[in-house]
Amino acid sequence: MPDASTALPGRDTPIMTPGKHVVNGRDLDGPYPEGMKELYVGMGCYWGAERAFWELPGVYVTAVGFAGGITKNPTYHETCTGQTGHTEIVKVVYDPKEVSLNELLKVFWERHDPTQGMRQGNDVGTQYRSALYLTSEADLEIAQETAAAYQNALKEIGKDGQITTEIGLLDAFYYAEEYHQQYLARNPDGYCGLGGTGATCPLPASSPSPQE
């Protein structure tokens, strides 16, 4: 991982102006309806990960980009050099009255392998590391609790690897280029390397229902 002295400098100007979601026509960058919440997930290549979330009931809109690094407004190719510190991220805007954070995190844990460090399957590099970025301390605590629960679930199926997911509060999110947004809707036969471990992530008994 680069540090501030070795990371690429980036730029002050965003590399794209977020437009409309290709599937549902909603604005990628808002404004969003009142009451919407945000979750930022890294599961390897963001193409398949984004589709996994835009298909979920209660998800208002999704977008792909970069977070967790140093370089301002990085390009995709810069991120792929490993010299920005970012990982590929899906921004998930959702209605907590329709889908809970715990339910979204269940999808996150089960749809990829969070024990692989700086890779996901055949995709190798810092930009493919598993990550969860939250927007409040309360959500951060929930994410950490689900990580502990999923670690136990992995142990129960005999998978010895430790979860390497980077979990923290969101610092900054930078939108990726337009052609990456909803890539698998634009290119139905495109690459999707998502693959889970086979372990089921348990929802806590205290998890609020979508109506609460």
Side-chain angles (χ1 to χ4, degrees):
M1 292 286 287
D3 57 27
S5 67
T6 60
L8 296 175
R11 56 200 53 79
D12 292 329
T13 304
I15 61 172
M16 67 92 77
T17 301
K20 301 285 187 180
H21 195 281
V22 170
V23 177
N24 62 31
R26 293 167 177 163
D27 291 327
L28 297 184
D29 201 31
Y32 309 124
E34 185 177 356
M36 295 293 111
K37 295 186 65 176
E38 297 175 17
L39 170 67
Y40 295 79
V41 301
M43 303 163 63
C45 177
Y46 48 27
W47 293 343
E50 185 184 17
R51 182 174 62 184
F53 284 92
W54 86 52
E55 293 178 341
L56 296 178
V59 170
Y60 180 78
V61 75
T62 58
V64 298
F66 313 105
I70 300 168
T71 301
K72 292 177 63 177
N73 295 298
T75 67
Y76 172 76
H77 292 294
E78 287 172 342
T79 301
C80 288
T81 68
Q83 295 304 304
T84 72
H86 293 289
T87 188
E88 295 189 13
I89 288 291
V90 179
K91 176 180 180 178
V92 182
V93 182
Y94 67 98
D95 185 346
K97 293 181 180 179
E98 296 184 22
V99 62
S100 71
L101 176 58
N102 276 312
E103 289 169 313
L104 295 177
L105 292 172
K106 179 179 174 68
V107 174
F108 168 79
W109 293 118
E110 293 180 358
R111 293 293 296 271
H112 80 302
D113 185 344
T115 69
Q116 295 192 20
M118 300 295 182
R119 68 180 301 161
Q120 195 63 210
N122 293 327
D123 295 325
V124 180
T126 57
Q127 72 271 27
Y128 298 118
R129 70 187 187 272
S130 176
L132 274 176
Y133 300 121
L134 297 305
T135 59
S136 73
E137 291 287 350
D139 286 354
L140 177 61
E141 183 176 344
I142 291 172
Q144 292 168 335
E145 289 172 352
T146 62
Y150 198 61
Q151 186 70 72
N152 289 333
L154 292 172
K155 184 177 180 180
E156 289 177 0
I157 67 167
K159 188 171 179 61
D160 297 328
Q162 292 296 306
I163 288 175
T164 59
T165 303
E166 184 176 308
I167 304 176
L169 294 175
L170 179 73
D171 181 18
F173 172 79
Y174 301 104
Y175 288 93
E177 292 88 339
E178 183 177 4
Y179 74 94
H180 286 290
Q181 305 297 333
Q182 300 83 61
Y183 184 87
L184 293 184
R186 301 171 188 264
N187 303 275
D189 296 326
Y191 168 78
C192 176
L194 275 190
T197 63
T200 299
C201 183
L203 286 174
S206 59
S207 177
S209 69
Q211 286 73 41
E212 293 178 349

